Amino acid sequence: MIAIVGAGITGLALAHYLSALGIEYVVLEAGETVGGAIRTVREDGRVLELGPQRMRTTRELERLIAELGLSAERIEAPPDLALLVYHNGALHRVPTGLGQALRSGLFGWRGKLRLLAEPLTGGIRRKETVARYLTRKLGREAYERVAGPLFGGLYASDPADMLVRHSLAGLLRELGVRRSLMLALRRRRGGGSAVVSFRRGMQTLPDALYEHHRERIRLSTRVHGVREARGGVELETDRGRIEASDVVLTTPADVTAALLREAAPEAAERLERLRYNPLAIVHLHSTARLDGSGYQVSFSERLETRGVTFNANLFGRDGVYTAFLGGARNPGLVDLPDFRIAAIASAEFELVTGAEARALRVSRTRMPAWDRSWTALDGLELPPRIHLAANYESRAGIPGRVARARQLAAALAAGRN
């Protein structure tokens, strides 16, 4: 039997794929609900996402949605919604190609000439930061006004503290970037995947996985430690000991470190070094009439808001806009009381859009920073029956987590033959 610790999307998807392969497993979840970072609530009848606001589809994800019988619940964002960036007191459309960039008011003539030179610049350098790489490739204007806010916003991180090899390199491979970013983007133009959610919110996906496999999922079951035992592993839980052939830890890095303190003390110490960025999420309601899917904020602007998702435009969420504040630029912001955070988000939304907004809900989360602390994972070794599968060790995002779960399920099955 394989023990899976954590019933977030990775653990639930892994359970689904192990079940399809006929492999016995059990999922152990400390909380009373499933989904991990994916959490949907309703406020005044409106759907609010406290975690991921949407996801881009892949073949694997679409297949999973169909297998769970969720195709009728799936909703798709309009494909022509532009992403915006707030710079110099105005919202600008993010260019999707060199032609748009050369016509954009985001860049001066020097910035546009610098973009023309991008194909002549070199590839990745091993010790390079994301900020240095993007500035070297695109120029300072394009980095500070577009590329930096967009990529840093994925992790609420500072690209100047993120190494390319740990964070951006995987995306560059996916885009087919060898030397030129601009040429790779041009080749992929028009081939982007659909942006989707579900009628009742993102939590529909983990809830469906739970319903399909609930007989093998134990909620309110906290694991206190993992140790090697008799050719397998033994887990100490608040409901007694469990023996398994393998254990997969899908929990956050600090929780995983605590579980591994006896079985792999050096690995535990390394995992404790990984930093997470605290982020405030403010759901706003506004009668604003805005175009686009949302906006990010240029690094030159003195705002606490990192970005805003236009849920109203993406999925018809009745005037809902989701603002993200804090992160690596101001981690202490999350310590402010809710009313202060709400007031900041509302005031900055009005400054950017010209429309009033009232706060519906304030929540907080944290995100793996994927910064220099990730060097702690270089050369990480674990006992052969203990496996990691989480958004700090491989690609973040729901499609990435589902792909990782399927890959690990196949590897665990192969190891049993």
Side-chain angles (χ1 to χ4, degrees):
M1 181 184 72
I2 294 172
I4 303 168
V5 182
I9 188 62
T10 308
L12 293 169
L14 178 58
H16 183 78
Y17 293 127
L18 290 176
S19 178
L21 292 169
I23 297 175
E24 187 179 2
Y25 67 89
V26 63
V27 180
L28 306 171
E29 167 57 46
E32 298 178 356
T33 59
V34 301
I38 303 174
R39 187 180 170 209
T40 305
V41 298
R42 298 188 78 88
E43 193 84 25
D44 295 335
R46 298 181 178 91
V47 173
L48 307 182
E49 303 288 4
L50 305 189
Q53 307 293 300
R54 58 196 182 277
M55 57 188 175
R56 283 199 172 273
T57 59
T58 60
R59 289 182 184 176
E60 186 64 56
L61 191 53
E62 292 287 12
R63 188 180 300 117
L64 178 62
I65 290 171
E67 289 173 357
L68 296 172
L70 296 177
S71 297
E73 291 294 310
R74 175 188 180 278
I75 54 176
E76 189 168 319
D80 56 348
L81 289 178
L83 181 59
L84 310 173
V85 65
Y86 180 69
H87 172 70
N88 197 25
L91 286 170
H92 303 263
R93 185 188 183 104
V94 171
T96 58
L98 183 58
Q100 287 187 14
L102 295 178
R103 295 189 297 271
S104 174
L106 269 171
F107 314 119
W109 66 268
R110 287 187 179 86
K112 292 174 181 179
L113 286 176
R114 184 64 180 77
L115 286 171
L116 287 170
E118 189 275 335
L120 303 177
T121 58
I124 297 173
R125 298 170 184 172
R126 175 169 170 76
K127 296 184 178 181
E128 201 165 31
T129 66
V130 172
R132 174 58 185 155
Y133 170 80
L134 292 175
T135 301
R136 180 169 59 80
K137 297 292 288 181
L138 304 172
R140 182 153 297 280
E141 282 189 5
Y143 165 70
E144 292 186 347
R145 300 175 189 181
V146 179
L150 292 184
F151 187 75
L154 294 175
Y155 308 94
S157 244
D158 180 359
D161 199 32
M162 305 173 76
L163 295 176
V164 171
R165 62 190 173 96
H166 289 138
S167 53
L168 183 58
L171 177 59
L172 295 178
R173 286 193 296 270
E174 183 181 318
L175 292 173
V177 176
R178 296 181 179 86
R179 183 183 180 94
S180 171
L181 272 170
M182 302 299 288
L183 292 178
L185 291 173
R186 181 180 179 182
R187 288 194 298 269
R188 287 177 61 93
R189 189 165 54 191
S193 56
V195 174
V196 303
S197 181
F198 301 97
R199 298 184 190 283
R200 289 174 291 179
M202 296 292 290
Q203 197 168 335
T204 298
L205 181 59
D207 283 352
L209 284 164
Y210 174 66
E211 289 302 321
H212 273 69
H213 305 289
R214 64 185 305 160
E215 71 281 355
R216 303 298 301 166
I217 299 172
R218 302 183 190 177
L219 301 180
S220 301
T221 305
R222 185 176 299 277
V223 178
H224 298 286
V226 175
R227 64 178 66 90
E228 294 183 275
R230 295 188 293 277
V233 291
E234 186 177 84
L235 294 83
E236 188 71 42
T237 81
D238 50 12
R239 298 191 179 188
R241 293 181 181 177
I242 295 176
E243 293 185 357
S245 61
D246 296 79
V247 61
V248 180
L249 303 173
T250 73
T251 45
D254 54 345
V255 176
T256 302
L259 296 177
L260 290 177
R261 211 167 306 282
E262 179 180 343
E266 182 183 351
E269 190 276 330
R270 287 174 175 236
L271 290 172
E272 286 179 333
R273 298 183 215 165
L274 301 187
R275 288 192 287 263
Y276 280 63
N277 290 323
L279 195 63
I281 302 174
V282 182
H283 290 94
L284 302 168
H285 181 264
S286 176
T287 58
R289 293 294 179 261
L290 304 171
D291 294 325
S293 61
Y295 64 82
Q296 297 295 120
V297 177
S298 165
F299 285 166
S300 62
E301 298 294 331
R302 292 183 172 274
L303 298 183
E304 297 292 355
T305 303
R306 299 293 301 254
V308 174
T309 297
F310 297 175
N311 309 77
N313 293 2
L314 286 165
F315 305 117
R317 298 290 194 211
D318 185 25
V320 174
Y321 297 84
T322 307
F324 301 88
L325 299 85
R329 292 178 67 181
N330 185 5
L333 180 135
V334 299
D335 297 325
L336 295 175
D338 285 3
F339 77 91
R340 287 279 307 280
I341 296 174
I344 292 169
S346 299
E348 292 187 352
F349 182 87
E350 182 173 354
L351 173 69
V352 172
T353 68
E356 293 183 356
R358 66 179 178 90
L360 298 171
R361 188 183 183 103
V362 177
S363 60
R364 294 162 180 80
T365 189
R366 60 181 192 144
M367 301 180 65
W370 284 88
D371 60 9
R372 292 180 192 272
S373 67
W374 258 246
T375 57
L377 297 187
D378 292 344
L380 180 75
E381 294 185 359
L382 289 170
R385 296 293 183 176
I386 298 176
H387 315 273
L388 304 182
N391 62 359
Y392 64 82
E393 58 81 34
S394 55
R395 183 181 169 192
I398 295 172
R401 303 319 310 145
V402 169
R404 170 65 172 139
R406 186 176 183 91
Q407 174 266 326
L408 181 56
L412 289 169
R416 300 167 71 88
N417 295 330

